[in-house]
Every structure is written in structure tokens, then in C-alpha cells.
Amino acid sequence: MSEQVFPGVYRLTLGDPERLTPVSLRLAPPAAEALALMGRETAPPCPMTESQLSFRVTPRGCMAELPLDGFEQLYGFGLQLKSFVQTGKKKTIRVNADPVADTGDSHAPIPYYVSTEGYAVLADTARQVSFYCGANDKVGTSERTVAIDVPGARGLTLYIFTGPTMLDAVRRYNLFSGGGALPPAWGLGIWYRCHTKARAAEAERFAREFREKELPVTVLGLEPGWHTAAYSTSYRWNEENFPEHEAFLARLKGLGYQINLWEHVFVHPTAEFYDDIMPYAGDYEVWHGLTPDFALPEAREIFSGYHRRAFAEQGISGFKLDECDGSDFTGGWSYPNCARFPSGLDGEQMHNLIGLLYQHTVRQAFDPAGRRTWGLVRASSPLAAPSPFTLYSDLYQHGDYLRGLVNMGFSGLLWTPEVRDAASVEDLVRRIQTVIFSPVAMINAWPFPYPPWMQVNSTLNHQGIPMENQTEAEGYCRDLFRLRMAMIPYLYTAFARYAADGTPPVRALVLDDPEDDETWTVDDAVLIGSDLYAAPMTAGQTARRFYLPRGRWADYFAPEQILEGGKWYTFDYPLERFPFFVRSGALIPWAEPLQTVPEHPTFLLRPKYYGPPTEQPVSVTLYEDDGGTLGAAHGTVTLTRDPDGLVTLARDRTDGHILYRLA
Ligand code: GAL
């Protein structure tokens, strides 16, 4: 019943599983070579023996029970905003807009968990499966289990990802998914989304103003107002709001912007491909639109073909895929669970799968041109690691948003704790200090006509009344945007590692050191790449208590200050600072902040060494390619600092694009 499908990845088939599942419908192949590189000899055996598992068919479907040790802690289940440690909890995998409670509902709930004991489990089903994570002992045994209750199915396939470490288990899951997504370098710049009804002239005014004020914005987002019809969507330019949109796009391109367009999945009757896609759509309308069945290649081809011709080939860089999550907390606007789709999926399954199928369909529009895209999405599904889309939400609790950033790395997801309005300048600044560590550093100003640094208050913003301290607020934002821009080479390399070996670029402390039980509950601090640590603050905090991982760490804001990790600290921080640390002994490849990240940039580096004086050379290796082409020729650049502080750069190839130079 158990077979090793890749080194360290085991498949367990229980009963008679369903035909249509996340794995059977996958559109990205596993990263087989990278999985092999993790080693067949060193891959641990399956951590669960048949005798430790139980399975039975029940009147409601089927259920499996997996062992759970007395001390192990579980994490995962996708983008959980309300909780971190999942041991002792019930989680139901149900995709939802506005998941307001700790039920498992999420924009991207994943039937998957990872254990401090160094293994992970994926239940390969699109059903609204429930996990009971050891909340109750079994009668007469005093043993905890993980019970998986699958409605409507007579069987279940489990995939077990072994370690030996917890991080290895996550890496194997990500590689099995296809390896992590590599952004185009511009995707790591600052994003600004214009007001939902902004017309071309307003968008362009902002675009020019950002340049004049040296606010380094790279991606400009247009919201529903660019369509002739939204809810459902027509995917056609509204010529009244955007007259001569080609010329408008060319002007923005000239100013160095990448353009991202909002849309959703429900196809309006006036969409050019409405009739074509009708035979490949579900049997219920949503907002009078069709829901394409992206499990079918025909539907994907029609939808992505249109997006290729109308947008990708016209210079649009990507999309924001809204409203694909479904509705149980927001009036039930989506298709019902009993809807039928021509592939054989029902509405329940489609809800849990459409997020990723939609992402793959839209990504396909960019592939033929060889361009990498980077976009936004409101729902995702298992095996999402290779997908170049970052999740966002309308919920706006800063603490939850930060927890999302900590949780995303367990389950192969990307998340942006986007910034919109704020209760105060302090709130605005603290939120930006969080979002700059995410895959998309975004100001999502869709509800407001003016940027939040001009006016944080929603009512006054609508009236166009600036804050008294707007210059100061703008200054804080500019400094943080510049910090993000300086981090891009470092982040890009962290993402290249995600693509190559599945290491999440941003992750919870527990993933790197589950042996240290102090890390088990830290849901408000992250490791970024191999050498940076941040514990963002929320408004109202003047002092911050934070746990520094084991090792030694230099304070980014006061580098001569080196702290011993493996300890809790509480410090006071002024508004422009927060706990942000660099691993002692590291050389960080800071870049000179650009005003915008071009398609094929060259970053001027000012590497900085953090740590005590050393007699040894210190080096850091960066991933290098042309910054945006799919499958671009790539290599590495190694920066080495000699004991006198002199840094040299060595490239491992002589041709190809130069992404880095020393300043
Ligand atoms: C919401 C979305 C927001 C914004 C808005 C525009 O559904 O979450 O980010 O795009 O629609 O109408």
C-alpha cells in the first residue's frame, strides 16, 4: 500500500480514491531532478508503518487515522491567518473569501501539515476534508492521532514527505509541487494599486508624481475600472475611462512602470470568448457570468489564448486574480457546492481547486513570450509552490497579516500583508515595515483616491484633504521603500533557492530549528533567506518582545550591537525601527536603491559585513540571470570581502546579462 514515488516521498493508497484530485489534475510536473539530488540513500524511510495507520469507509465518506507523538507539533493547512500551531485543533479545508474564524477556512486552505518530527503529510483530495489534530485521546489508549475525515469519497491517497529535518520535509513538498516560483526582478519592487475607479489621467498623474517625489514604485495596478464590465468581467478595455489605452500604456512603460490588471474568473456575456467557453463552464452563473472549467485543456486554451493576445503580447506584466475563493461568509455569491462542471468536478471540489488552476491558466499566457509574470490571487490550492502568484485578502488585521507571512512558508504559498488605509501614521509605517518582507511589497490603495501617506484616514482621503504631517509620513514610506529596493538582490537569491531546492524564502523560526522548543509558538517573526531576521511591530507597541533564534545576530539599525540568540528580548523602538537582525558573520549584498526595477536591471551593490572583526575572508553567493526571462541563462556571482574590508566580485560565466556590479 505504500510506495516511494521519489526519494523520500511516499504514496499511501487507502481504499478507492477519487479520480479528480489536486495531484491528478496538477499542471506543473514535480521537480524530479532536484528531488533526486536530495538523495535516495539519505532519504529516511516512511515515518508511518501500515500498522500505525487506520482507514475505514464511513456513511459520510471515509476516514484515515495517523499517529501523533506526545510532543510533536503540527503546522500548515495553508494560509491560516488565525492560528499557528495546529496541534489540538480541528481544521476544515474550505476555501473562502473573508475567513473570519479559526476553522480552517482560508483563501488557500491546504490539506497538508508538517511536523516538528521532520515529516509532512498531504491528503490528496479536493473535498472539504477535516483534520482533527490530536485534540482528543482515543478511548482506552491515551494516544493522540490525526483523524482525517473525508466527506463523499470511498478512499484517499496520502503523500508523506520525509526529512530528516522539518525544513527538508517542506522542501520535498515544494519540489514535489514543482519547485518554488522565481519572480522577475521587477516583481520584487514596490507595487501601488490605483483607486478602483481611477481613470487613465489619474493613474498617470500618480505615475509621474511618484517619479518626481522619488517614491520608487515599479508596478502600477489598475482595479475593476479598466473593464467595460466587472462583476462578472468582460476583459475589455473601457475606452471611456482609458481612451487610447495603448498610448497610455506606452507612456507608463516609458516612465518605467510594469502594469498589472485586476480581473476575476467569472466571464461576462460581453467577453469576446463567452460563447467559445460556454461548453467548458459550470452549470451555474455567478454575477451573470460563466465559471470556466480550467480542469479542461480547452477552457484553459481559450482563456489563456485571449489573455496572451489581448494583454501579454501588449506589454501587460501580470494580473490580480480576484474573487476565486468562494463565499460562505459573504452572502454566498459564488457557485454552489452542488454545481456540476464538464470535467466531472462538482462545485465543492472546484472551489478548492480553481485558485491554482486559474493561476496556471493565466500564467500560460506569458509562457510563449518567454516572460516571467508575477501576480496576485485570492485563492490557492495544494502544489502551488511553482505558481508566480501571491495571495492577498480583504481582512485587514495587522497581527493576522503578520501571522500569514510566518505561516505561508509551511505550505508552499506566497502572501502579501498588503497596506491600505491606516488608523494613524504609526499604523501605516508599522504595516509597511511588515509588507517589505513579503513576496509583493504592495500598497493596495484601491478604496482611496490618494496615497495613504497623503492621508491615512479614509473619509478625509476621499475628500482630498492631506494630513498635516504628510511630508513626514511620506518620508517614512520612502525610506522603507528604499530598504526594500536595497534588499532585492538578496531576496532574488532567496527565491532562486526556493526554485532550486524548495527552501521557503520567508519562513517561521521553527522550520530552521524545531529542536529549540522556544521557536514552536513564535508566530510573529520571520527568517528571510539565510541571514536576515525580522520581528515587525504593530501600532500601539513601543516595546517589542521577540525571540531571537540560536546563533549570534547583529542589529541592522546599530550593527555594532551583537546579540546572543536563543533568547527572548524586549526593547523599546522608535517608529522608524523594529527588531531587524543580520546573522553575525554574514555579508549582505545591499543594492543601491533604484527608482524602478527595469525588465533587465543591473544592481549596483554595496555589500556590508556584519559581525566582529575577522581575519578570515567572508563571502556571499548570488543567483544571477537577466532578471526576467523564463528559463534564462543563469549563473552565480560571488562577493568576497577580505579582512581589510575590500570586496571583490567573481562571476562564474563570461557571457550573459550582468545583473550585479560593485558600486
Ligand atoms: C476586492 C479585492 C480588493 C479590490 C476590490 C476592488 O474583491 O479583494 O483588493 O481589488 O475587490 O473592487
Side-chain angles (χ1 to χ4, degrees):
M1 125 178 141
S2 129
E3 58 183 307
Q4 187 166 196
V5 285
F6 291 101
V9 180
Y10 298 86
R11 177 167 58 209
L12 274 65
T13 309
L14 308 169
D16 184 16
E18 291 183 290
R19 187 174 59 88
L20 299 172
T21 68
V23 173
S24 78
L25 292 173
R26 66 181 305 160
L27 293 172
E33 263 177 50
L35 279 164
L37 274 178
M38 283 189 77
R40 190 170 286 281
E41 299 75 34
T42 52
C46 186
M48 284 168 210
T49 60
E50 274 177 50
S51 62
Q52 288 174 302
L53 287 175
S54 75
F55 171 78
R56 66 175 193 276
V57 174
T58 68
R60 18 180 306 106
C62 64
M63 73 97 73
E65 245 179 331
L66 278 62
L68 181 66
D69 263 8
F71 293 106
E72 70 180 298
Q73 303 295 326
L74 305 183
Y75 304 83
F77 298 118
L79 182 75
Q80 295 299 324
L81 296 177
K82 298 284 178 192
S83 59
F84 182 62
V85 180
Q86 303 300 344
T87 327
K89 302 205 157 193
K90 172 189 175 187
K91 284 284 134 84
T92 300
I93 301 308
R94 188 172 68 158
V95 75
N96 252 311
D98 301 284
V100 287
D102 189 19
T103 50
D105 288 280
S106 161
H107 297 285
I110 313 283
Y112 155 99
Y113 60 84
V114 57
S115 160
T116 44
E117 290 299 298
Y119 68 90
V121 177
L122 171 70
D124 182 26
T125 174
R127 294 278 163 216
Q128 290 180 2
V129 53
S130 292
F131 290 80
Y132 297 82
C133 303
N136 322 81
D137 288 348
K138 288 298 289 286
V139 171
T141 64
S142 72
E143 269 172 18
R144 301 196 300 175
T145 63
V146 176
I148 309 178
D149 176 34
V150 194
R154 318 284 298 167
L156 176 68
T157 305
L158 296 174
Y159 287 86
I160 318 274
F161 305 90
T162 64
T165 68
M166 195 179 174
L167 193 51
D168 281 338
V170 169
R171 285 186 180 119
R172 281 199 165 89
Y173 170 68
N174 287 338
L175 293 176
F176 178 74
S177 305
L182 179 65
W186 58 257
L188 297 175
I190 303 294
W191 293 47
Y192 185 93
R193 301 201 73 85
C194 301
H195 183 236
T196 187
K197 295 218 172 95
R199 292 163 173 248
E202 285 156 79
E204 198 170 332
R205 205 170 52 238
F206 281 133
R208 293 190 187 279
E209 195 180 299
F210 295 158
R211 292 289 176 266
E212 277 156 27
K213 295 187 162 180
E214 300 197 353
L215 288 158
V217 175
T218 295
V219 181
L220 213 62
L222 300 181
E223 289 285 311
W226 75 270
H227 290 268
T228 49
Y231 298 87
S232 45
T233 47
S234 65
Y235 318 96
R236 282 179 193 262
W237 284 96
N238 180 327
E239 287 296 331
E240 205 180 304
N241 292 345
F242 291 85
E244 293 170 21
H245 69 266
E246 290 96 344
F248 160 78
L249 293 175
R251 286 196 299 277
L252 290 188
K253 213 140 213 131
L255 290 167
Y257 288 98
Q258 298 285 345
I259 305 298
N260 178 288
L261 297 180
W262 177 101
E263 66 166 50
H264 66 222
V265 69
F266 306 113
V267 182
H268 190 264
T270 59
E272 197 181 287
F273 53 90
Y274 181 86
D275 290 339
D276 297 342
I277 214 152
M278 171 89 87
Y280 310 108
D283 61 350
Y284 279 83
E285 287 187 351
V286 182
W287 295 315
H288 303 300
L290 301 174
T291 308
D293 184 348
F294 291 136
L296 298 173
E298 294 87 344
R300 294 199 298 273
E301 189 39 53
I302 294 166
F303 199 92
S304 78
Y306 176 79
H307 279 67
R308 172 167 51 76
R309 291 186 303 276
F311 307 115
E313 287 173 1
Q314 309 307 320
I316 296 301
S317 72
F319 287 87
K320 169 177 177 181
L321 311 179
D322 206 19
E323 315 286 11
C324 45
D325 33 24
S327 171
D328 292 281
F329 300 110
T330 42
W333 45 259
S334 198
Y335 49 88
N337 289 340
C338 51
R340 287 174 306 171
F341 287 83
S343 62
L345 287 168
D346 62 26
E348 175 192 1
Q349 294 169 303
M350 186 55 97
H351 277 302
N352 279 346
L353 293 172
I354 197 169
L356 188 59
L357 290 170
Y358 187 18
Q359 293 166 51
H360 277 298
T361 303
V362 171
R363 201 209 64 208
Q364 264 179 34
F366 293 89
D367 288 356
R371 278 169 65 207
R372 272 182 251 157
T373 181
W374 202 237
L376 296 159
V377 69
R378 227 175 61 186
S380 205
S381 324
L383 313 180
S387 183
F389 287 85
T390 294
L391 291 151
Y392 64 95
S393 175
D394 283 352
L395 299 177
Y396 200 51
Q397 222 280 325
H398 190 177
D400 289 356
Y401 268 32
L402 173 54
R403 191 177 299 109
L405 194 63
V406 186
N407 271 338
M408 71 179 197
F410 293 122
S411 308
L413 297 173
L414 303 175
W415 155 251
T416 172
E418 62 171 47
V419 182
R420 300 200 289 266
D421 53 330
S424 59
V425 171
E426 180 200 7
D427 187 26
L428 175 70
V429 171
R430 291 305 190 200
R431 284 175 181 273
I432 296 180
Q433 287 168 351
T434 308
V435 84
I436 56 167
F437 296 106
S438 89
V440 173
M442 174 165 70
I443 308 297
N444 188 11
W446 73 270
F448 309 107
Y450 296 99
W453 48 85
M454 184 211 118
Q455 175 57 263
V456 292
N457 177 279
S458 163
T459 314
L460 297 176
N461 190 304
H462 277 277
Q463 292 166 4
I465 302 173
M467 297 182 293
E468 264 175 30
N469 51 350
Q470 71 158 318
T471 312
E472 193 192 359
E474 189 183 296
Y476 282 127
C477 296
R478 183 182 297 102
D479 288 351
L480 288 167
F481 292 171
R482 287 171 62 83
L483 171 57
R484 166 68 173 211
M485 293 297 274
M487 253 189 299
I488 291 179
Y490 178 88
L491 291 174
Y492 196 54
T493 294
F495 270 98
R497 181 152 186 221
Y498 187 37
D501 79 0
T503 305
V506 180
R507 57 197 184 277
L509 313 188
V510 64
L511 265 182
D512 285 45
D513 197 2
E515 307 276 292
D516 175 4
D517 58 14
E518 290 295 325
T519 64
W520 289 0
T521 53
V522 180
D523 66 349
D524 58 2
V526 282
L527 288 165
I528 308 117
S530 43
D531 295 320
L532 296 179
Y533 161 95
M537 294 169 68
T538 51
Q541 292 179 325
T542 47
R544 173 67 148 95
R545 181 169 187 265
F546 61 95
Y547 186 72
L548 208 51
R550 292 196 279 192
R552 289 168 72 76
W553 296 88
D555 188 334
Y556 167 82
F557 294 103
E560 58 297 340
Q561 179 135 348
I562 296 185
L563 295 184
E564 194 62 50
K567 283 188 186 167
W568 290 93
Y569 290 95
T570 304
F571 292 131
D572 285 335
Y573 286 94
L575 183 53
E576 64 279 15
R577 293 188 179 190
F578 55 97
F580 183 26
F581 287 87
V582 183
R583 199 181 292 283
S584 177
L587 184 64
I588 303 295
W590 300 115
E592 190 92 336
L594 298 165
Q595 279 310 305
T596 178
V597 185
E599 197 94 29
H600 302 296
T602 296
F603 294 100
L604 291 180
L605 302 181
R606 294 190 186 279
K608 185 171 160 81
Y609 167 74
Y610 294 80
T614 171
E615 291 303 306
Q616 302 301 316
V618 182
S619 61
V620 61
T621 297
L622 299 179
Y623 171 83
E624 187 182 55
D625 63 10
D626 73 358
T629 306
L630 211 58
H634 59 90
T636 58
V637 159
T638 301
L639 308 173
T640 305
R641 175 194 182 268
D642 72 16
D644 298 328
L646 194 76
V647 179
T648 50
L649 180 153
R651 186 166 267 114
D652 73 349
R653 57 195 181 133
T654 48
D655 56 351
H657 181 78
I658 290 187
L659 196 58
Y660 313 110
R661 285 187 202 284
L662 287 173

